[in-house]
């Protein structure tokens, strides 16, 4: 008999839940607001909010006159807040509190003349926002890129360094970077800023994938934490990333007895239930 097991930590984290609730309250009240970039990385949530009158723009210039702005959960650089204030534009700040803490860490470091190093994806909005709260941040995807920076100039390891991570990174990426800086930099302050909920979800998914013939990861294909979940699970078994239940029909489960399921931090419970219902139909 085939079995489908759902990870206990699947679905919305605190920061995402708070961001979505804030946006939904604004929609329910009929306030003229737009999201400055998708409030979370889930197309279904963004489409639902748009249908309720809260649309999405991708630059300050696109904000309609008389509208307020919802700052997405990933945060924004300080200059965005400054420009919105100059415009007299109301702000509903949905930035995850853990991300806001990193903003304060790098701002304080920069104000003290320290070199900020961010481990993360340079193109990700969270990382861009973090870099926007300090001066001259260096951003590296992995320890290989970090090593090039430290080896490029002999003075680099001598700089007062403050090291932080994108909240949705993995220990596989973060740990070598942390150890590299700890070993080679003479004046380093290291802040382990991977979100505890992210780490717990990844650890649970890894354990479940070791016991499964295949894994289903539910979430947006543009969501960093969801993509990282797929990477973690793929190390142990065949893994598929789906956004909706309809995508399951293209997957061959005939050779799978134990099937694990997890979901990214920005995946609504309704979609998780939809996928589980479809899975039960398939395996039975």
């Amino acid at each position: 008999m085939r079995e489908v097991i759902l990870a206990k930590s699947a679905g919305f984290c605190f920061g995402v839940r708070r961001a979505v609730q804030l946006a939904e309250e604004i929609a329910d009240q009929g306030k003229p607001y737009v999201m400055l970039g998708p409030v979370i990385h889930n197309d279904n949530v963004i489409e639902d909010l748009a249908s309720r009158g809260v649309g999405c723009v991708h630059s300050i210039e696109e904000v309609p006159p008389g509208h307020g702005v919802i700052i997405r959960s990933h945060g924004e650089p300080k200059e965005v807040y400054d420009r919105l204030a100059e415009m007299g534009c109301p702000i509903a700040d949905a930035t995850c509190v853990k991300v806001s803490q990193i903003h304060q860490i790098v701002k304080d470091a920069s104000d003290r003349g320290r070199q900020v190093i961010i481990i993360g994806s340079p193109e990700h909005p969270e990382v861009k926002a973090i870099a926007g709260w300090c001066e001259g941040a260096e951003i590296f995807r992995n320890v290989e890129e970090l090593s090039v920076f430290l080896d490029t100039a002999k003075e680099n390891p001598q700089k007062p360094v403050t090291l932080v991570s994108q909240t949705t990174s993995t220990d596989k990426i973060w740990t070598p970077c942390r150890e590299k800086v700890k070993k080679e930099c003479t004046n380093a302050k290291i802040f382990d800023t991977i979100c505890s909920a992210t780490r717990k979800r990844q650890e649970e998914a890894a354990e479940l994938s070791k016991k499964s013939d295949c894994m289903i990861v539910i979430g947006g294909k543009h969501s960093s934490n969801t993509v990282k979940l797929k990477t973690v699970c793929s190390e142990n078994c065949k893994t598929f990333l789906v956004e909706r239940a309809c995508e399951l029909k293209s997957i061959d489960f005939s050779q799978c007895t134990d099937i694990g399921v997890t979901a990214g931090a920005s995946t609504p419970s309704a979609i998780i239930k939809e996928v589980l219902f479809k899975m039960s139909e398939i395996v039975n």
Side-chain angles (χ1 to χ4, degrees):
M1 181 177 177
R2 288 191 282 184
E3 185 178 13
V4 177
I5 304 171
L6 175 67
K8 294 178 181 178
S9 59
F12 278 3
C13 64
F14 169 79
V16 166
R17 186 177 295 108
R18 172 180 170 273
V20 173
Q21 286 177 344
L22 177 60
E24 288 180 337
E25 287 171 4
I26 288 172
D28 290 341
Q29 294 165 7
K31 293 182 178 180
Y33 271 73
V34 292
M35 296 173 278
L36 183 56
V39 69
I40 66 169
H41 278 155
N42 187 282
D43 291 343
N44 299 290
V45 172
I46 303 308
E47 289 168 9
D48 177 64
L49 288 168
S51 71
R52 297 162 64 182
V54 180
C56 183
V57 300
H58 298 281
S59 69
I60 292 176
E61 289 72 26
E62 296 176 49
V63 176
H67 280 60
V69 164
I70 301 173
I71 301 292
R72 56 185 165 186
S73 58
H74 311 96
E76 289 287 350
K78 185 177 183 301
E79 67 169 347
V80 169
Y81 290 85
D82 294 341
R83 288 181 62 190
L84 291 173
E86 290 172 4
M87 294 165 57
C89 185
I91 295 175
D93 197 343
T95 305
C96 172
V97 292
K98 294 184 181 296
V99 175
S100 294
Q101 289 170 356
I102 304 176
H103 294 174
Q104 193 59 52
I105 289 170
V106 299
K107 182 181 184 303
D108 290 346
S110 184
D111 289 345
R112 290 176 169 79
R114 301 183 67 85
Q115 171 66 63
V116 173
I117 296 178
I118 306 168
I119 303 303
S121 303
E123 66 280 1
H124 194 277
E126 179 193 315
V127 175
K128 290 180 178 179
I130 294 169
W133 283 86
C134 56
E135 297 291 333
E138 297 284 352
I139 305 169
F140 306 110
R141 292 180 178 84
N142 49 48
V143 71
E144 289 77 19
E145 292 184 1
L146 172 63
S147 297
V148 170
F149 167 75
L150 293 177
D151 296 341
T152 297
K154 62 181 180 180
E155 67 269 14
N156 284 345
Q158 310 302 320
K159 294 178 180 178
V161 165
T162 292
L163 182 72
V164 298
S165 170
Q166 182 177 345
T167 59
T168 54
S169 187
T170 65
D171 282 328
K172 188 173 182 179
I173 295 172
W174 168 250
T175 301
C177 295
R178 180 190 64 203
E179 295 306 311
K180 181 79 173 177
V181 167
K182 188 184 295 185
K183 179 180 179 181
E184 297 192 14
C185 295
T186 57
N187 182 358
K189 291 186 177 181
I190 300 171
F191 295 85
D192 184 353
T193 54
I194 295 179
C195 172
S196 57
T198 295
R199 180 175 276 118
K200 179 181 178 182
R201 185 179 287 104
Q202 290 173 357
E203 290 174 350
E204 187 179 3
E207 287 304 309
L208 183 55
S209 64
K210 291 175 184 176
K211 304 171 185 176
S212 304
D213 299 309
C214 77
M215 284 288 296
I216 301 297
V217 179
I218 314 166
K221 292 180 172 63
H222 301 295
S223 165
S224 174
N225 75 86
T226 302
V227 172
K228 295 282 192 339
L229 278 176
K230 183 186 178 185
T231 300
V232 167
C233 294
S234 295
E235 294 178 359
N236 301 310
C237 69
K238 189 180 296 184
T239 303
F240 303 93
L241 173 58
V242 301
E243 293 188 348
R244 297 301 295 261
C246 60
E247 298 173 44
L248 294 170
K249 62 185 179 182
S250 63
I251 301 172
D252 180 10
F253 293 102
S254 61
Q255 303 302 311
C256 301
T257 301
D258 296 314
I259 303 168
V261 179
T262 188
S266 52
T267 306
S269 59
I271 293 179
I272 297 174
K273 291 176 182 177
E274 174 190 276
V275 170
L276 289 175
F277 180 77
K278 188 65 176 179
M279 285 295 302
S280 68
E281 290 184 337
I282 291 172
V283 300
N284 293 321

